[in-house]
mmCIF file of all heavy atoms in Angstrom:
data_model
loop_
_atom_site.group_PDB
_atom_site.id
_atom_site.type_symbol
_atom_site.label_atom_id
_atom_site.label_comp_id
_atom_site.label_asym_id
_atom_site.label_seq_id
_atom_site.Cartn_x
_atom_site.Cartn_y
_atom_site.Cartn_z
ATOM 1 N N ILE A 1336 0.846 -1.194 0.000
ATOM 2 C CA ILE A 1336 0.000 0.000 0.000
ATOM 3 C C ILE A 1336 0.881 1.243 0.000
ATOM 4 O O ILE A 1336 1.662 1.469 0.934
ATOM 5 C CB ILE A 1336 -0.934 0.032 1.222
ATOM 6 C CG1 ILE A 1336 -1.816 -1.217 1.259
ATOM 7 C CG2 ILE A 1336 -1.787 1.303 1.206
ATOM 8 C CD1 ILE A 1336 -2.656 -1.340 2.521
ATOM 9 N N TYR A 1337 0.763 2.052 -1.050
ATOM 10 C CA TYR A 1337 1.484 3.314 -1.148
ATOM 11 C C TYR A 1337 0.548 4.480 -0.815
ATOM 12 O O TYR A 1337 -0.625 4.482 -1.219
ATOM 13 C CB TYR A 1337 2.046 3.518 -2.552
ATOM 14 C CG TYR A 1337 3.243 2.650 -2.860
ATOM 15 C CD1 TYR A 1337 3.098 1.469 -3.584
ATOM 16 C CD2 TYR A 1337 4.520 3.013 -2.432
ATOM 17 C CE1 TYR A 1337 4.196 0.671 -3.882
ATOM 18 C CE2 TYR A 1337 5.626 2.212 -2.714
ATOM 19 C CZ TYR A 1337 5.456 1.050 -3.436
ATOM 20 O OH TYR A 1337 6.546 0.256 -3.714
ATOM 21 N N VAL A 1338 1.082 5.467 -0.109
ATOM 22 C CA VAL A 1338 0.330 6.676 0.235
ATOM 23 C C VAL A 1338 0.832 7.803 -0.652
ATOM 24 O O VAL A 1338 1.970 8.278 -0.495
ATOM 25 C CB VAL A 1338 0.495 7.031 1.720
ATOM 26 C CG1 VAL A 1338 -0.274 8.307 2.045
ATOM 27 C CG2 VAL A 1338 0.005 5.878 2.600
ATOM 28 N N LEU A 1339 0.021 8.246 -1.590
ATOM 29 C CA LEU A 1339 0.447 9.185 -2.618
ATOM 30 C C LEU A 1339 0.706 10.595 -2.092
ATOM 31 O O LEU A 1339 1.473 11.350 -2.697
ATOM 32 C CB LEU A 1339 -0.603 9.240 -3.733
ATOM 33 C CG LEU A 1339 -0.796 7.939 -4.522
ATOM 34 C CD1 LEU A 1339 -1.998 8.055 -5.450
ATOM 35 C CD2 LEU A 1339 0.453 7.596 -5.310
ATOM 36 N N ASP A 1340 0.054 10.974 -1.007
ATOM 37 C CA ASP A 1340 0.242 12.327 -0.482
ATOM 38 C C ASP A 1340 1.493 12.460 0.369
ATOM 39 O O ASP A 1340 1.712 13.491 1.005
ATOM 40 C CB ASP A 1340 -0.983 12.753 0.338
ATOM 41 C CG ASP A 1340 -2.166 13.112 -0.537
ATOM 42 O OD1 ASP A 1340 -2.055 13.008 -1.765
ATOM 43 O OD2 ASP A 1340 -3.228 13.492 0.008
ATOM 44 N N GLY A 1341 2.324 11.436 0.391
ATOM 45 C CA GLY A 1341 3.595 11.518 1.069
ATOM 46 C C GLY A 1341 3.521 11.166 2.542
ATOM 47 O O GLY A 1341 2.583 10.513 3.008
ATOM 48 N N LEU A 1342 4.530 11.605 3.270
ATOM 49 C CA LEU A 1342 4.638 11.340 4.703
ATOM 50 C C LEU A 1342 4.087 12.530 5.468
ATOM 51 O O LEU A 1342 4.649 13.627 5.412
ATOM 52 C CB LEU A 1342 6.106 11.102 5.089
ATOM 53 C CG LEU A 1342 6.400 10.868 6.567
ATOM 54 C CD1 LEU A 1342 5.740 9.587 7.064
ATOM 55 C CD2 LEU A 1342 7.915 10.836 6.810
ATOM 56 N N PHE A 1343 2.995 12.330 6.201
ATOM 57 C CA PHE A 1343 2.434 13.413 7.001
ATOM 58 C C PHE A 1343 3.361 13.689 8.187
ATOM 59 O O PHE A 1343 3.906 12.753 8.786
ATOM 60 C CB PHE A 1343 1.041 13.050 7.489
ATOM 61 C CG PHE A 1343 -0.050 13.256 6.457
ATOM 62 C CD1 PHE A 1343 0.214 13.142 5.107
ATOM 63 C CD2 PHE A 1343 -1.344 13.558 6.847
ATOM 64 C CE1 PHE A 1343 -0.782 13.325 4.148
ATOM 65 C CE2 PHE A 1343 -2.343 13.757 5.917
ATOM 66 C CZ PHE A 1343 -2.070 13.641 4.558
ATOM 67 N N PRO A 1344 3.555 14.957 8.541
ATOM 68 C CA PRO A 1344 4.517 15.304 9.592
ATOM 69 C C PRO A 1344 4.217 14.590 10.909
ATOM 70 O O PRO A 1344 3.079 14.580 11.388
ATOM 71 C CB PRO A 1344 4.343 16.820 9.745
ATOM 72 C CG PRO A 1344 3.790 17.271 8.437
ATOM 73 C CD PRO A 1344 2.912 16.151 7.965
ATOM 74 N N GLY A 1345 5.236 13.966 11.487
ATOM 75 C CA GLY A 1345 5.112 13.333 12.792
ATOM 76 C C GLY A 1345 4.330 12.035 12.801
ATOM 77 O O GLY A 1345 4.026 11.515 13.875
ATOM 78 N N GLN A 1346 4.009 11.488 11.625
ATOM 79 C CA GLN A 1346 3.162 10.295 11.562
ATOM 80 C C GLN A 1346 3.904 9.049 11.079
ATOM 81 O O GLN A 1346 3.280 8.058 10.701
ATOM 82 C CB GLN A 1346 1.963 10.566 10.649
ATOM 83 C CG GLN A 1346 1.045 11.662 11.146
ATOM 84 C CD GLN A 1346 0.507 11.358 12.541
ATOM 85 O OE1 GLN A 1346 0.099 10.225 12.817
ATOM 86 N NE2 GLN A 1346 0.509 12.356 13.407
ATOM 87 N N ALA A 1347 5.233 9.087 11.101
ATOM 88 C CA ALA A 1347 5.999 7.946 10.597
ATOM 89 C C ALA A 1347 5.671 6.659 11.342
ATOM 90 O O ALA A 1347 5.612 5.577 10.740
ATOM 91 C CB ALA A 1347 7.495 8.243 10.678
ATOM 92 N N GLU A 1348 5.425 6.761 12.634
ATOM 93 C CA GLU A 1348 5.109 5.564 13.407
ATOM 94 C C GLU A 1348 3.832 4.909 12.913
ATOM 95 O O GLU A 1348 3.743 3.678 12.836
ATOM 96 C CB GLU A 1348 4.987 5.905 14.889
ATOM 97 C CG GLU A 1348 4.723 4.686 15.766
ATOM 98 C CD GLU A 1348 4.643 5.031 17.241
ATOM 99 O OE1 GLU A 1348 4.796 6.211 17.586
ATOM 100 O OE2 GLU A 1348 4.410 4.103 18.045
ATOM 101 N N PHE A 1349 2.842 5.718 12.569
ATOM 102 C CA PHE A 1349 1.589 5.161 12.047
ATOM 103 C C PHE A 1349 1.843 4.425 10.735
ATOM 104 O O PHE A 1349 1.359 3.305 10.530
ATOM 105 C CB PHE A 1349 0.561 6.275 11.835
ATOM 106 C CG PHE A 1349 -0.725 5.802 11.211
ATOM 107 C CD1 PHE A 1349 -1.717 5.231 11.988
ATOM 108 C CD2 PHE A 1349 -0.938 5.916 9.840
ATOM 109 C CE1 PHE A 1349 -2.905 4.780 11.421
ATOM 110 C CE2 PHE A 1349 -2.116 5.470 9.259
ATOM 111 C CZ PHE A 1349 -3.101 4.899 10.059
ATOM 112 N N TYR A 1350 2.599 5.030 9.825
ATOM 113 C CA TYR A 1350 2.905 4.386 8.550
ATOM 114 C C TYR A 1350 3.602 3.051 8.776
ATOM 115 O O TYR A 1350 3.281 2.047 8.137
ATOM 116 C CB TYR A 1350 3.807 5.278 7.703
ATOM 117 C CG TYR A 1350 3.163 6.477 7.062
ATOM 118 C CD1 TYR A 1350 2.721 7.555 7.816
ATOM 119 C CD2 TYR A 1350 3.025 6.572 5.681
ATOM 120 C CE1 TYR A 1350 2.159 8.685 7.230
ATOM 121 C CE2 TYR A 1350 2.468 7.686 5.069
ATOM 122 C CZ TYR A 1350 2.028 8.739 5.853
ATOM 123 O OH TYR A 1350 1.476 9.837 5.259
ATOM 124 N N ALA A 1351 4.581 3.056 9.680
ATOM 125 C CA ALA A 1351 5.343 1.824 9.932
ATOM 126 C C ALA A 1351 4.467 0.750 10.557
ATOM 127 O O ALA A 1351 4.530 -0.424 10.173
ATOM 128 C CB ALA A 1351 6.535 2.136 10.824
ATOM 129 N N ARG A 1352 3.635 1.151 11.509
ATOM 130 C CA ARG A 1352 2.776 0.175 12.181
ATOM 131 C C ARG A 1352 1.791 -0.464 11.218
ATOM 132 O O ARG A 1352 1.507 -1.658 11.294
ATOM 133 C CB ARG A 1352 2.033 0.860 13.337
ATOM 134 C CG ARG A 1352 1.184 -0.108 14.161
ATOM 135 C CD ARG A 1352 0.568 0.582 15.364
ATOM 136 N NE ARG A 1352 -0.447 1.567 15.001
ATOM 137 C CZ ARG A 1352 -0.317 2.865 15.177
ATOM 138 N NH1 ARG A 1352 0.798 3.373 15.703
ATOM 139 N NH2 ARG A 1352 -1.285 3.688 14.840
ATOM 140 N N GLU A 1353 1.259 0.337 10.297
ATOM 141 C CA GLU A 1353 0.276 -0.163 9.335
ATOM 142 C C GLU A 1353 0.929 -0.691 8.058
ATOM 143 O O GLU A 1353 0.231 -1.103 7.134
ATOM 144 C CB GLU A 1353 -0.719 0.949 8.978
ATOM 145 C CG GLU A 1353 -1.516 1.481 10.159
ATOM 146 C CD GLU A 1353 -2.388 0.419 10.800
ATOM 147 O OE1 GLU A 1353 -2.836 -0.500 10.070
ATOM 148 O OE2 GLU A 1353 -2.618 0.497 12.027
ATOM 149 N N ASP A 1354 2.266 -0.678 8.021
ATOM 150 C CA ASP A 1354 3.018 -1.140 6.857
ATOM 151 C C ASP A 1354 2.578 -0.392 5.598
ATOM 152 O O ASP A 1354 2.226 -0.989 4.574
ATOM 153 C CB ASP A 1354 2.866 -2.654 6.669
ATOM 154 C CG ASP A 1354 3.876 -3.230 5.681
ATOM 155 O OD1 ASP A 1354 4.840 -2.518 5.355
ATOM 156 O OD2 ASP A 1354 3.675 -4.374 5.230
ATOM 157 N N LEU A 1355 2.602 0.934 5.685
ATOM 158 C CA LEU A 1355 2.270 1.808 4.567
ATOM 159 C C LEU A 1355 3.564 2.396 4.010
ATOM 160 O O LEU A 1355 4.487 2.726 4.769
ATOM 161 C CB LEU A 1355 1.341 2.944 5.006
ATOM 162 C CG LEU A 1355 0.062 2.547 5.741
ATOM 163 C CD1 LEU A 1355 -0.716 3.799 6.160
ATOM 164 C CD2 LEU A 1355 -0.802 1.640 4.864
ATOM 165 N N ARG A 1356 3.610 2.553 2.716
ATOM 166 C CA ARG A 1356 4.800 3.087 2.073
ATOM 167 C C ARG A 1356 4.528 4.505 1.577
ATOM 168 O O ARG A 1356 3.771 4.684 0.610
ATOM 169 C CB ARG A 1356 5.231 2.190 0.917
ATOM 170 C CG ARG A 1356 5.509 0.755 1.338
ATOM 171 C CD ARG A 1356 6.014 -0.095 0.187
ATOM 172 N NE ARG A 1356 6.185 -1.491 0.605
ATOM 173 C CZ ARG A 1356 6.731 -2.437 -0.143
ATOM 174 N NH1 ARG A 1356 7.156 -2.128 -1.375
ATOM 175 N NH2 ARG A 1356 6.851 -3.672 0.306
ATOM 176 N N PRO A 1357 5.115 5.514 2.198
ATOM 177 C CA PRO A 1357 4.881 6.873 1.720
ATOM 178 C C PRO A 1357 5.570 7.100 0.382
ATOM 179 O O PRO A 1357 6.688 6.618 0.145
ATOM 180 C CB PRO A 1357 5.500 7.743 2.817
ATOM 181 C CG PRO A 1357 6.573 6.878 3.413
ATOM 182 C CD PRO A 1357 6.023 5.472 3.359
ATOM 183 N N ALA A 1358 4.915 7.839 -0.502
ATOM 184 C CA ALA A 1358 5.552 8.306 -1.726
ATOM 185 C C ALA A 1358 6.171 9.654 -1.380
ATOM 186 O O ALA A 1358 5.506 10.696 -1.435
ATOM 187 C CB ALA A 1358 4.538 8.428 -2.854
ATOM 188 N N LEU A 1359 7.433 9.633 -0.991
ATOM 189 C CA LEU A 1359 8.099 10.825 -0.473
ATOM 190 C C LEU A 1359 8.188 11.899 -1.548
ATOM 191 O O LEU A 1359 8.479 11.607 -2.719
ATOM 192 C CB LEU A 1359 9.492 10.449 0.027
ATOM 193 C CG LEU A 1359 9.544 9.372 1.118
ATOM 194 C CD1 LEU A 1359 10.990 9.010 1.434
ATOM 195 C CD2 LEU A 1359 8.807 9.828 2.374
ATOM 196 N N ILE A 1360 7.958 13.153 -1.152
ATOM 197 C CA ILE A 1360 7.867 14.241 -2.135
ATOM 198 C C ILE A 1360 8.848 15.377 -1.865
ATOM 199 O O ILE A 1360 8.981 16.275 -2.695
ATOM 200 C CB ILE A 1360 6.431 14.796 -2.207
ATOM 201 C CG1 ILE A 1360 5.957 15.260 -0.829
ATOM 202 C CG2 ILE A 1360 5.481 13.764 -2.803
ATOM 203 C CD1 ILE A 1360 4.552 15.864 -0.814
ATOM 204 N N THR A 1361 9.545 15.355 -0.718
ATOM 205 C CA THR A 1361 10.521 16.397 -0.401
ATOM 206 C C THR A 1361 11.700 15.774 0.341
ATOM 207 O O THR A 1361 11.597 14.686 0.919
ATOM 208 C CB THR A 1361 9.921 17.496 0.492
ATOM 209 O OG1 THR A 1361 9.576 16.926 1.766
ATOM 210 C CG2 THR A 1361 8.689 18.139 -0.141
ATOM 211 N N VAL A 1362 12.811 16.492 0.337
ATOM 212 C CA VAL A 1362 13.968 16.054 1.100
ATOM 213 C C VAL A 1362 13.634 16.010 2.587
ATOM 214 O O VAL A 1362 14.091 15.110 3.314
ATOM 215 C CB VAL A 1362 15.167 16.983 0.831
ATOM 216 C CG1 VAL A 1362 16.334 16.647 1.769
ATOM 217 C CG2 VAL A 1362 15.621 16.878 -0.627
ATOM 218 N N GLU A 1363 12.834 16.956 3.040
ATOM 219 C CA GLU A 1363 12.431 16.973 4.447
ATOM 220 C C GLU A 1363 11.707 15.695 4.833
ATOM 221 O O GLU A 1363 11.979 15.095 5.886
ATOM 222 C CB GLU A 1363 11.538 18.179 4.715
ATOM 223 C CG GLU A 1363 11.086 18.310 6.162
ATOM 224 C CD GLU A 1363 10.153 19.489 6.371
ATOM 225 O OE1 GLU A 1363 9.720 20.105 5.379
ATOM 226 O OE2 GLU A 1363 9.851 19.793 7.551
ATOM 227 N N GLU A 1364 10.778 15.242 3.967
ATOM 228 C CA GLU A 1364 10.087 13.980 4.238
ATOM 229 C C GLU A 1364 11.058 12.805 4.225
ATOM 230 O O GLU A 1364 10.976 11.918 5.072
ATOM 231 C CB GLU A 1364 8.981 13.753 3.199
ATOM 232 C CG GLU A 1364 7.763 14.615 3.370
ATOM 233 C CD GLU A 1364 6.620 14.185 2.483
ATOM 234 O OE1 GLU A 1364 6.747 13.159 1.767
ATOM 235 O OE2 GLU A 1364 5.581 14.851 2.513
ATOM 236 N N ALA A 1365 11.962 12.798 3.256
ATOM 237 C CA ALA A 1365 12.937 11.706 3.172
ATOM 238 C C ALA A 1365 13.805 11.653 4.419
ATOM 239 O O ALA A 1365 14.104 10.568 4.944
ATOM 240 C CB ALA A 1365 13.801 11.886 1.929
ATOM 241 N N ARG A 1366 14.187 12.820 4.915
ATOM 242 C CA ARG A 1366 15.016 12.870 6.123
ATOM 243 C C ARG A 1366 14.239 12.317 7.323
ATOM 244 O O ARG A 1366 14.782 11.531 8.127
ATOM 245 C CB ARG A 1366 15.453 14.299 6.384
ATOM 246 C CG ARG A 1366 16.387 14.450 7.593
ATOM 247 C CD ARG A 1366 16.833 15.883 7.790
ATOM 248 N NE ARG A 1366 17.687 16.311 6.676
ATOM 249 C CZ ARG A 1366 17.353 17.231 5.775
ATOM 250 N NH1 ARG A 1366 16.150 17.803 5.850
ATOM 251 N NH2 ARG A 1366 18.161 17.575 4.810
ATOM 252 N N GLU A 1367 12.970 12.696 7.441
ATOM 253 C CA GLU A 1367 12.154 12.222 8.566
ATOM 254 C C GLU A 1367 11.930 10.714 8.488
ATOM 255 O O GLU A 1367 12.024 10.007 9.505
ATOM 256 C CB GLU A 1367 10.815 12.953 8.591
ATOM 257 C CG GLU A 1367 9.922 12.549 9.749
ATOM 258 C CD GLU A 1367 8.617 13.339 9.798
ATOM 259 O OE1 GLU A 1367 8.511 14.376 9.114
ATOM 260 O OE2 GLU A 1367 7.696 12.912 10.528
ATOM 261 N N TRP A 1368 11.660 10.202 7.288
ATOM 262 C CA TRP A 1368 11.423 8.764 7.119
ATOM 263 C C TRP A 1368 12.703 7.968 7.388
ATOM 264 O O TRP A 1368 12.671 6.914 8.033
ATOM 265 C CB TRP A 1368 10.908 8.488 5.717
ATOM 266 C CG TRP A 1368 10.415 7.095 5.472
ATOM 267 C CD1 TRP A 1368 10.918 6.205 4.572
ATOM 268 C CD2 TRP A 1368 9.320 6.420 6.109
ATOM 269 N NE1 TRP A 1368 10.200 5.029 4.594
ATOM 270 C CE2 TRP A 1368 9.212 5.132 5.535
ATOM 271 C CE3 TRP A 1368 8.417 6.798 7.100
ATOM 272 C CZ2 TRP A 1368 8.248 4.211 5.929
ATOM 273 C CZ3 TRP A 1368 7.446 5.881 7.492
ATOM 274 C CH2 TRP A 1368 7.370 4.605 6.925
ATOM 275 N N ALA A 1369 13.837 8.486 6.915
ATOM 276 C CA ALA A 1369 15.113 7.809 7.151
ATOM 277 C C ALA A 1369 15.447 7.786 8.637
ATOM 278 O O ALA A 1369 15.904 6.755 9.171
ATOM 279 C CB ALA A 1369 16.223 8.496 6.360
ATOM 280 N N ALA A 1370 15.229 8.907 9.309
ATOM 281 C CA ALA A 1370 15.533 8.981 10.741
ATOM 282 C C ALA A 1370 14.653 8.031 11.533
ATOM 283 O O ALA A 1370 15.121 7.355 12.460
ATOM 284 C CB ALA A 1370 15.353 10.422 11.231
ATOM 285 N N PHE A 1371 13.379 7.965 11.174
ATOM 286 C CA PHE A 1371 12.490 7.058 11.901
ATOM 287 C C PHE A 1371 12.897 5.612 11.642
ATOM 288 O O PHE A 1371 12.844 4.782 12.552
ATOM 289 C CB PHE A 1371 11.034 7.270 11.492
ATOM 290 C CG PHE A 1371 10.091 6.393 12.273
ATOM 291 C CD1 PHE A 1371 9.681 6.751 13.539
ATOM 292 C CD2 PHE A 1371 9.646 5.184 11.732
ATOM 293 C CE1 PHE A 1371 8.837 5.921 14.270
ATOM 294 C CE2 PHE A 1371 8.800 4.358 12.459
ATOM 295 C CZ PHE A 1371 8.396 4.737 13.729
ATOM 296 N N GLY A 1372 13.293 5.304 10.421
ATOM 297 C CA GLY A 1372 13.738 3.948 10.123
ATOM 298 C C GLY A 1372 14.926 3.539 10.971
ATOM 299 O O GLY A 1372 15.021 2.390 11.422
ATOM 300 N N THR A 1373 15.832 4.493 11.207
ATOM 301 C CA THR A 1373 16.990 4.208 12.057
ATOM 302 C C THR A 1373 16.532 3.864 13.473
ATOM 303 O O THR A 1373 17.011 2.900 14.085
ATOM 304 C CB THR A 1373 17.931 5.419 12.078
ATOM 305 O OG1 THR A 1373 18.407 5.676 10.750
ATOM 306 C CG2 THR A 1373 19.118 5.168 13.001
ATOM 307 N N GLU A 1374 15.574 4.640 13.989
ATOM 308 C CA GLU A 1374 15.028 4.358 15.321
ATOM 309 C C GLU A 1374 14.274 3.028 15.333
ATOM 310 O O GLU A 1374 14.310 2.287 16.317
ATOM 311 C CB GLU A 1374 14.077 5.481 15.748
ATOM 312 C CG GLU A 1374 14.741 6.834 15.929
ATOM 313 C CD GLU A 1374 13.721 7.907 16.265
ATOM 314 O OE1 GLU A 1374 12.539 7.544 16.520
ATOM 315 O OE2 GLU A 1374 14.075 9.094 16.266
ATOM 316 N N TYR A 1375 13.619 2.726 14.238
ATOM 317 C CA TYR A 1375 12.798 1.519 14.127
ATOM 318 C C TYR A 1375 13.657 0.259 13.999
ATOM 319 O O TYR A 1375 13.203 -0.849 14.268
ATOM 320 C CB TYR A 1375 11.882 1.660 12.903
ATOM 321 C CG TYR A 1375 10.665 0.775 12.892
ATOM 322 C CD1 TYR A 1375 9.587 1.023 13.743
ATOM 323 C CD2 TYR A 1375 10.581 -0.297 12.005
ATOM 324 C CE1 TYR A 1375 8.456 0.223 13.702
ATOM 325 C CE2 TYR A 1375 9.452 -1.098 11.963
ATOM 326 C CZ TYR A 1375 8.399 -0.843 12.827
ATOM 327 O OH TYR A 1375 7.279 -1.640 12.786
ATOM 328 N N GLY A 1376 14.887 0.463 13.536
ATOM 329 C CA GLY A 1376 15.810 -0.656 13.441
ATOM 330 C C GLY A 1376 16.008 -1.217 12.054
ATOM 331 O O GLY A 1376 16.744 -2.198 11.868
ATOM 332 N N ARG A 1377 15.387 -0.600 11.042
ATOM 333 C CA ARG A 1377 15.599 -1.065 9.666
ATOM 334 C C ARG A 1377 15.174 0.018 8.690
ATOM 335 O O ARG A 1377 14.360 0.884 9.013
ATOM 336 C CB ARG A 1377 14.820 -2.353 9.378
ATOM 337 C CG ARG A 1377 13.323 -2.242 9.484
ATOM 338 C CD ARG A 1377 12.664 -3.606 9.274
ATOM 339 N NE ARG A 1377 11.224 -3.566 9.464
ATOM 340 C CZ ARG A 1377 10.349 -3.334 8.495
ATOM 341 N NH1 ARG A 1377 10.782 -3.100 7.262
ATOM 342 N NH2 ARG A 1377 9.054 -3.352 8.746
ATOM 343 N N ASN A 1378 15.743 -0.055 7.502
ATOM 344 C CA ASN A 1378 15.346 0.883 6.458
ATOM 345 C C ASN A 1378 13.944 0.522 5.974
ATOM 346 O O ASN A 1378 13.710 -0.588 5.488
ATOM 347 C CB ASN A 1378 16.332 0.833 5.287
ATOM 348 C CG ASN A 1378 17.698 1.378 5.662
ATOM 349 O OD1 ASN A 1378 17.880 1.900 6.762
ATOM 350 N ND2 ASN A 1378 18.653 1.247 4.754
ATOM 351 N N LEU A 1379 13.044 1.455 6.095
ATOM 352 C CA LEU A 1379 11.640 1.178 5.788
ATOM 353 C C LEU A 1379 11.336 1.457 4.322
ATOM 354 O O LEU A 1379 11.843 2.428 3.739
ATOM 355 C CB LEU A 1379 10.741 2.038 6.674
ATOM 356 C CG LEU A 1379 10.837 1.734 8.176
ATOM 357 C CD1 LEU A 1379 10.148 2.826 8.989
ATOM 358 C CD2 LEU A 1379 10.235 0.372 8.482
ATOM 359 N N PRO A 1380 10.500 0.629 3.697
ATOM 360 C CA PRO A 1380 10.206 0.815 2.270
ATOM 361 C C PRO A 1380 9.438 2.105 2.000
ATOM 362 O O PRO A 1380 8.634 2.567 2.813
ATOM 363 C CB PRO A 1380 9.366 -0.416 1.910
ATOM 364 C CG PRO A 1380 8.802 -0.899 3.199
ATOM 365 C CD PRO A 1380 9.816 -0.547 4.251
ATOM 366 N N CYS A 1381 9.693 2.673 0.830
ATOM 367 C CA CYS A 1381 9.022 3.911 0.430
ATOM 368 C C CYS A 1381 9.167 4.082 -1.070
ATOM 369 O O CYS A 1381 9.966 3.393 -1.728
ATOM 370 C CB CYS A 1381 9.620 5.120 1.156
ATOM 371 S SG CYS A 1381 11.385 5.371 0.776
ATOM 372 N N ALA A 1382 8.405 5.006 -1.610
ATOM 373 C CA ALA A 1382 8.551 5.425 -3.000
ATOM 374 C C ALA A 1382 9.144 6.832 -3.018
ATOM 375 O O ALA A 1382 9.052 7.570 -2.038
ATOM 376 C CB ALA A 1382 7.201 5.414 -3.708
ATOM 377 N N ILE A 1383 9.740 7.188 -4.120
ATOM 378 C CA ILE A 1383 10.159 8.564 -4.375
ATOM 379 C C ILE A 1383 9.300 9.086 -5.528
ATOM 380 O O ILE A 1383 9.249 8.476 -6.601
ATOM 381 C CB ILE A 1383 11.651 8.650 -4.756
ATOM 382 C CG1 ILE A 1383 12.521 8.274 -3.566
ATOM 383 C CG2 ILE A 1383 11.995 10.051 -5.249
ATOM 384 C CD1 ILE A 1383 12.442 9.242 -2.408
#
């Protein structure tokens, strides 16, 4: 499941829990998703 509107601010945990793949649209979103993946313990799938 891909989310076309990207990564909503502060909601990375919800995406990860529901196994949703954000279609990242900005460097800021990519940075937030990458940082959360590091905390989560693995690189999380996503689209660009």
Side-chain angles (χ1 to χ4, degrees):
I1336 302 173
Y1337 286 99
V1338 179
L1339 295 172
D1340 285 1
L1342 177 64
F1343 279 29
Q1346 297 302 316
E1348 183 178 0
F1349 176 83
Y1350 286 69
R1352 184 175 68 247
E1353 299 298 330
D1354 193 14
L1355 307 178
R1356 302 183 184 187
L1359 302 175
I1360 56 178
T1361 65
V1362 172
E1363 181 182 9
E1364 286 190 3
R1366 183 178 293 112
E1367 182 177 346
W1368 189 241
F1371 183 81
T1373 298
E1374 296 176 9
Y1375 200 72
R1377 62 184 176 91
N1378 292 354
L1379 295 168
C1381 62
I1383 293 294

